[in-house]
Amino acid sequence: MPEEAEDMWHTYNLLQVGDSLRASTIRKVQTESTTGSVGSSRVRTTLTLSVETIDFDSQACKLRVKGTNIEENQYVKMGAYHTIELELNRKFTLAKKCWDSVVLDRIEQACDPVQRADVAAVVMQEGLANVVLVTPAMTLLRAKVELTIPRKRKGSCTQHEKALERFYEAVMQAILRHINFEVVKCILVASPGFVKDQFFAYVFKEAVRQDNKVLLENRPKFMLVHSSSGHKYSLKEILCDPAVTSRLSDTKAAGEVKALEDFYKMLQHEPDRAFYGIAHVEKAADALAIDTLLISDKLFRHQDIQTRSRYVRLVDNVRDNGGNVRMFSSLHVSGEQLTQLSGVAALLRFPIADVSDGEDDSSSAED
């Protein structure tokens, strides 16, 4: 039973075409009375579907699974199509022909109560702010505040200052509405220039004036950091900041960003110890050379069983030979970046040269 947004993401990654999914759902049923009049009613029934398509809405945290009915049911014929909508706190049963190591890891991770959304970030610049929750598996945009701030005029700044105050107030309200201070361990406030400092001063001046105990008690959780802009993509550079990394050292998101940063450094300084693309990485795995494998969870949602098995084999191979495997979420800023490297990369224990002959099949495998 998925209990929170994060669980829905895990469920999405567990579901594959061909699995059978059993859950309660609502079906529209047509009935004909003895007089011949036709009416329709909605009934709740439990169906078992053979999964054909899976859609995930990350904002609403809902999963729509379409497939054909494979068990006798008084309302739905065998083989008839139906869509089940999986929601929070609604039980389901999933059956697979094969439970591979990646899927079992995912279940273990989903059941680990330590892995929760313990970081929030407010990435801002004058007139624009993004309030984001960083969970171990995804970056969720919770609120976007946009306001036009008039420029300072010669001799008069009142318009500018009033607009700024309205903007800060709106961002403060977004924080109070979307951040659960009981769960969140750290709130990063990032901006270019002094916007973050002015905002921080405003928030706590208001908190004292309004006697807002939630904000006052959680003041130590706020951390001010520099970012180049107020856009969501600046989150990656914030998570790379050494001060932030040490503060968030126990969260998975920071670990992934660090692994990706290490990969890029290695690629720059020792390119023979940094590989990407499935064919190259497989060659390194066969040579028992992989120290850390960086792989996107997007690859395990591949429809083709053989392609998926290829990635599972790679993960198992690296683990069996004492390497670390870092699974990146495609809903994370760092995961989006890894996707640009075809979703798979590796840091090697020792250099391996001359794999350029595998270039041709790596490009076809990456598709």
Side-chain angles (χ1 to χ4, degrees):
M1 183 164 78
E3 292 171 337
E4 52 193 20
E6 188 88 356
D7 294 341
M8 295 305 284
W9 173 246
H10 289 308
T11 306
Y12 173 51
N13 282 285
L14 289 172
L15 282 164
Q16 283 165 261
V17 173
D19 290 352
S20 70
L21 175 73
R22 183 177 173 79
S24 115
T25 182
I26 291 173
R27 179 82 174 185
K28 202 172 177 183
V29 176
Q30 285 201 329
T31 50
E32 195 174 326
S33 69
T34 47
T35 58
S37 62
V38 176
S40 72
S41 59
R42 292 161 73 80
V43 292
R44 182 164 285 289
T45 182
T46 299
L47 286 182
T48 306
L49 301 185
S50 172
V51 177
E52 285 191 15
T53 55
I54 307 148
D55 289 313
F56 179 57
D57 180 344
S58 63
Q59 287 309 314
C61 268
K62 280 190 177 175
L63 259 173
R64 283 179 202 85
V65 182
K66 186 181 176 185
T68 52
N69 181 33
I70 53 171
E71 265 187 26
E72 289 289 340
N73 183 286
Q74 67 180 103
Y75 303 112
V76 186
K77 288 181 189 150
M78 291 282 279
Y81 274 95
H82 188 82
T83 301
I84 289 180
E85 205 163 85
L86 292 181
E87 291 174 338
L88 292 179
N89 303 310
R90 185 173 288 177
K91 289 181 180 176
F92 68 88
T93 307
L94 180 64
K96 289 178 174 292
K97 292 185 180 75
C98 165
W99 293 85
D100 58 47
S101 60
V102 171
V103 170
L104 295 173
D105 272 1
R106 172 72 64 178
I107 292 173
E108 207 168 295
Q109 190 189 338
C111 297
D112 180 0
V114 180
Q115 313 243 24
R116 291 295 174 255
D118 43 14
V119 183
V122 183
V123 192
M124 64 198 305
Q125 62 192 47
E126 273 195 10
L128 170 70
N130 288 288
V131 179
V132 177
L133 287 180
V134 184
T135 79
M138 52 185 168
T139 312
L140 284 171
L141 179 66
R142 274 288 163 249
K144 188 175 191 175
V145 179
E146 282 184 283
L147 220 82
T148 310
I149 311 280
R151 289 188 172 180
K152 290 180 182 176
R153 297 253 174 91
K154 218 173 186 179
S156 164
C157 298
T158 51
Q159 288 287 316
H160 175 79
E161 278 165 11
K162 274 184 184 168
L164 258 187
E165 207 155 289
R166 277 202 310 275
F167 171 61
Y168 290 157
E169 174 62 28
V171 179
M172 183 173 99
Q173 291 308 323
I175 288 175
L176 290 168
R177 197 173 311 123
H178 296 286
I179 293 176
N180 178 352
F181 287 93
E182 286 176 26
V183 178
V184 169
K185 291 186 190 135
C186 175
I187 299 128
L188 304 169
V189 182
S191 78
F194 294 105
V195 178
K196 58 184 182 302
D197 308 272
Q198 290 165 359
F199 171 67
F200 185 73
Y202 172 85
V203 166
F204 287 97
K205 190 182 83 185
E206 280 299 296
V208 170
R209 190 177 69 78
Q210 297 171 13
D211 192 26
N212 186 319
K213 288 192 170 66
V214 173
L215 283 171
L216 293 169
E217 284 167 12
N218 287 284
R219 185 177 178 140
K221 290 184 181 177
F222 283 82
M223 183 178 182
L224 305 186
V225 282
H226 173 78
S227 72
S228 54
S229 81
H231 295 281
K232 188 184 151 188
Y233 61 75
S234 295
L235 193 61
K236 186 193 156 287
E237 78 183 74
I238 299 161
L239 291 170
C240 279
D241 185 312
V244 175
T245 315
S246 62
R247 174 94 178 247
L248 309 181
S249 54
D250 59 339
T251 73
K252 183 171 178 279
E256 287 178 359
V257 171
K258 168 110 178 45
L260 199 58
E261 197 187 343
D262 290 347
F263 173 80
Y264 280 119
K265 276 185 192 159
M266 188 71 86
L267 194 61
Q268 210 174 352
H269 301 299
E270 284 188 77
D272 285 350
R273 284 184 59 199
F275 282 14
Y276 61 92
I278 180 68
H280 285 187
V281 172
E282 277 177 334
K283 283 188 177 173
D286 291 342
L288 314 186
I290 295 181
D291 181 45
T292 306
L293 176 71
L294 286 55
I295 192 160
S296 167
D297 59 13
K298 198 176 183 176
L299 302 177
F300 299 100
R301 291 197 296 277
H302 211 286
Q303 303 289 7
D304 179 43
I305 291 169
Q306 277 181 310
T307 309
R308 185 195 151 89
S309 306
R310 184 178 182 184
Y311 293 119
V312 173
R313 264 199 314 277
L314 176 63
V315 167
D316 291 343
N317 184 349
V318 171
R319 281 197 179 127
D320 292 347
N321 293 305
N324 299 314
V325 175
R326 282 211 169 267
M327 192 80 68
F328 281 63
S329 166
S330 55
L331 275 196
H332 238 303
V333 190
S334 54
E336 286 167 15
Q337 223 185 344
L338 183 61
T339 303
Q340 291 166 8
L341 295 170
S342 78
V344 59
L347 285 151
L348 310 190
R349 297 185 175 110
F350 48 84
I352 298 181
D354 298 327
V355 288
S356 48
D357 52 314
E359 205 71 61
D360 304 331
D361 72 319
S362 86
S363 58
S364 62
E366 283 157 28
D367 300 337

